[in-house]
Amino acid sequence: MCRFQYLYNGEDGYVVRCHYCGNYQLAFASIMLTLTKNEYRSFCDLVEYKCDSAYETAASETSKCVVLPTPAPGTFILLTRDEAARLGTMLEEADNENKALMLMNLFNEPDKS
């Protein structure tokens, strides 16, 4: 059974990581994904890349021009530029929290000498 630790929790959604299995759960708008560590890293990189290139491909501000594939075959997430930017910000804040927690854990580990 998973024991989740919040990395981000806000108006748009949340990102949590399981203390035991290391999987991530991401909720944004009406989407919820459970991802392995590698899938989560790849998804974060993809969102960052798509956010950077979304401004070149959007026909209008309301067009769902950002297409994000998921690990599930044939399942994609469609977002507007604004939604993609908000998701990118959410993932960046979760990454910052994750890094801070990892640093704190380095100082909390018992001395093995």
Side-chain angles (χ1 to χ4, degrees):
M1 183 158 142
C2 287
R3 189 179 105 204
F4 290 112
Q5 178 175 31
Y6 276 90
L7 301 176
Y8 176 86
N9 189 20
E11 209 172 283
D12 284 322
Y14 65 84
V15 178
V16 294
R17 183 188 64 225
C18 176
H19 177 72
Y20 297 116
C21 68
N23 286 345
Y24 289 79
Q25 190 174 86
L26 157 72
F28 179 78
S30 61
I31 302 155
M32 187 178 77
L33 300 172
T34 300
L35 306 166
T36 65
K37 183 178 181 178
N38 289 337
E39 290 170 340
Y40 179 74
R41 274 286 117 226
S42 295
F43 187 76
C44 290
D45 292 343
L46 178 66
V47 170
E48 183 179 0
Y49 170 76
K50 291 286 189 163
C51 283
D52 291 342
S53 63
Y55 293 96
E56 302 163 5
T57 59
S60 73
E61 286 189 26
T62 58
S63 66
K64 299 275 187 177
C65 61
V66 180
V67 180
L68 301 172
T70 68
T75 305
F76 300 85
I77 301 169
L78 299 174
L79 301 173
T80 64
R81 291 185 307 192
D82 180 60
E83 290 169 335
R86 291 188 347 248
L87 176 59
T89 299
M90 188 176 99
L91 293 174
E92 186 176 325
E93 289 185 28
D95 187 51
N96 291 340
E97 179 69 14
N98 198 22
K99 288 176 183 173
L101 289 170
M102 287 174 22
L103 281 173
M104 288 189 318
N105 283 339
L106 287 175
F107 294 105
N108 292 331
E109 288 183 2
D111 188 17
K112 296 179 182 171
S113 34

